[in-house]
Every structure is written in C-alpha cells, then in structure tokens.
Amino acid sequence: MSDTLERTELREQALLDVPWITIVWNDPINLMSYVSWVFRSYFGFDRAMADRLMLTVHTEGKAVVASGSREEMERHVAAMHGYGLWATLQKEDA
Amino acid sequence: MSRFHARGGGASAKFSLGEAAILAGLARQVAGVIAGRADTAGDPVLDRLFPSAYPDNDEFSSEFRRFTEDELGDEKVRNALALANSLEPKPDKVKVRVTLDAEDALVWLRALNDIRLALGTRLGLDDEGEPTVEGDDADFTVAVYDWLGGLQQSLVTVVDA
C-alpha cells in the first residue's frame, strides 16, 4: 500500500517537473523588427538572441521563447498577447 | 506619408489632417470592437487579438481567458484611445504633430500593432502577406495597412536606436 502510494507520488512529481514552454507563432502581419524588439524589451534578450528567435519564428513557423512553470508561461503568453504576438503554451513533451 | 523621427530622447511625427483623421478613426473602431466583444464572438479580428493560449485544450483555454482577457482588453482599449486622442488637431494648424516619450511610444507601438492586426485580418492576408479580399474598399485598406506598417517600422527604429 505504502509502496503504491510512493510510486503514485513519484509519478505525480515527475509530471509536475515536466516544464512548460511558451511558443510564438509566425503570422504575416507582425513586423520582423517589432517581434525582435518585443523579445528584447520583454524577455531582456540581447539583439543576437532576439533576432535568432525572430528568424526562427519567421522561417520555421514558430519558436520556443521560454520554458518553466505553467504559471510563469501563462504570464509570458498573456504579455505576448498584450504586444499582439500570437503565443501559446504547452508541456515541453506535448 | 508620415514617419516617426528621433526627437529629444523620444519620437516625433507630423500627420496631415487627413492622415490623423484616418488613423484616429481606425483606433476608435478597434477600441469599439474590443469593448463590444461580448456581442461579436467569432469575429476573426477578435480571435487574432485574443488568441487561444491552449489551442488543444478548451478547458485550460477558457480558464486562461477568464483570468486574463478583461485586463488585456482594457489595456488594448486604453492604448487605442490614447493613440486616437494624441491625434486631436489643434485649431488653425494644418498638420498634427505627435511627440512621444518612451512610455507613450510603447503605447503607440502596441496600438498600431493592434490596428494592423485588425486591418490585416480583415484583408485575409495569406502566408505571403498578400490580401485575399478584393475590391475598391480593399485597395484603400491595403494602402492604409502599408502606410501603418511603415509608420510602425519608423517608430520601432526610433525606440530601438
């Protein structure tokens, strides 16, 4: 019994430990310069990092811009929506 | 067409009365669409301004909306109205000069972006950014959309320098 409980707790812990990620998706409207500026001003990335992520969004259709707890990723997604970027969150392995 | 330039640590642009009226009108329209969004659910413009945070999970998505959408909507309305109000013409002037400090510029960038999202969505832009909606109204909207893209670009350039 205690064994099962322990295993369940371990499994739940493992689930909680899976990080969440914030994804920004490409769209034909947002200016590349604006997206890069948002990444720098909101996340504090340097220009090289912000430009690389912006280009990944542009060429690959999306980029992971942050990972961490679900609450933290929800704050990032809400902030991105405030800037007009198309952002979603999900579990890293989803 | 009007562009922003660096001026005293901020940004400045001069608009013709016609440009100012068009842009202020669009900003008020966007504010109106957002403020009245309860009655216009399913509008693609609103879907773009308030995207789903969890596209694969309706329950999480509605929960997220419940906690964030009011504040997000209020902020977007405030930004759009602030932009519109700063374009108010002065008596006897044939141009409207807009001077923005760093904080105003942030408001303007977001408001301009929301207006461009609304126009671009109405034009049904494809992945290449080409409009899929045609006609005289669309031609005018495309011209305004392009102008606002240049205007936003000029403001990004100033705040990013």
Side-chain angles (χ1 to χ4, degrees), chain A residues 6-7 17 67:
Chain A
E6 231 167 75
R7 273 204 304 276
D17 284 344
S67 72

Side-chain angles (χ1 to χ4, degrees), chain A residues 16-89:
Chain A
L16 288 173
D17 284 344
V18 174
W20 290 73
I21 51 176
T22 297
I23 300 176
V24 170
W25 299 82
N26 190 41
D27 74 70
I29 300 171
N30 284 323
L31 299 172
M32 293 165 79
S33 60
Y34 177 71
V35 172
S36 176
W37 171 78
V38 169
F39 288 166
R40 284 202 298 285
S41 60
Y42 176 76
F43 290 109
F45 296 147
D46 63 22
R47 188 174 294 265
M49 172 84 162
D51 283 352
R52 197 173 70 238
L53 285 171
M54 176 276 289
L55 285 171
T56 306
V57 172
H58 186 69
T59 56
E60 313 280 321
K62 63 175 177 175
V64 176
V65 296
S67 72
S69 72
R70 186 177 160 196
E71 291 69 27
E72 203 184 345
M73 295 308 103
E74 285 199 338
R75 277 201 301 278
H76 290 335
V77 167
M80 291 300 102
H81 293 177
Y83 284 102
L85 270 57
W86 177 19
T88 61
L89 73 154

